[in-house]
Amino acid sequence: MLPRKGKRINVAGFYTKTGKFIYQTQVNSFNHQDLILFFDHFCTSIDKRTIVVLDNAPTHRGKAFQAKRKEWQQQDLYLYFLPPYSPELNAIELLWRQIKYQWLYLKAFLNFDSLSFYLHQVLDNINTKYSIIFD
């Protein structure tokens, strides 16, 4: 039995090469405003110049999101956009693949509640029980 079609858990996250991991999940897709709030919250946790690597998702390229760039730069947060069709250059894509294909048990996909439970178990234990080494 698979989760009901259309009901998904979406995850947005920041993962630094030093292992700091901040994430947010929600059932609905992340829109521009959701990501803006997530980035605003992230800005409160940085203490030095920080570069966030982004793919070219429509929510990253929207006018509302782009309008925040100068404000974030004043808080030492800079955005770097990868070339189109190059997810292999984004380190967090490795993390998403590990979670989806290695760390989630098959029983996690039995139903939506199971998926939510096991996904949060993994996300809450990044860098303790689950980790990736970036070279």
Side-chain angles (χ1 to χ4, degrees), residues 2 27 35 41 48 53 63 68 74 76 80 84 102:
L2 295 174
V27 175
L35 285 178
H41 177 72
K48 61 183 177 180
V53 177
K63 288 181 184 179
K68 293 287 287 190
Q74 292 171 351
D76 258 351
Y80 176 80
Q102 301 293 321

Side-chain angles (χ1 to χ4, degrees), residues 56-114:
N56 287 283
T59 52
H60 300 152
R61 290 293 187 181
K63 288 181 184 179
F65 189 83
Q66 290 296 317
K68 293 287 287 190
R69 285 183 83 164
K70 287 188 181 186
E71 181 182 327
W72 291 329
Q73 287 175 0
Q74 292 171 351
Q75 297 174 61
D76 258 351
L77 179 73
Y78 297 85
L79 305 181
Y80 176 80
F81 286 89
L82 291 172
Y85 307 107
S86 55
E88 71 280 358
L89 300 176
N90 193 346
I92 204 164
E93 293 296 336
L94 297 172
L95 179 68
W96 300 144
R97 269 193 302 266
Q98 280 291 115
I99 291 169
K100 191 173 184 179
Y101 299 113
Q102 301 293 321
W103 297 337
L104 282 177
Y105 300 112
L106 189 56
K107 64 184 173 184
F109 298 94
L110 290 175
N111 57 55
F112 183 80
D113 290 337
S114 179

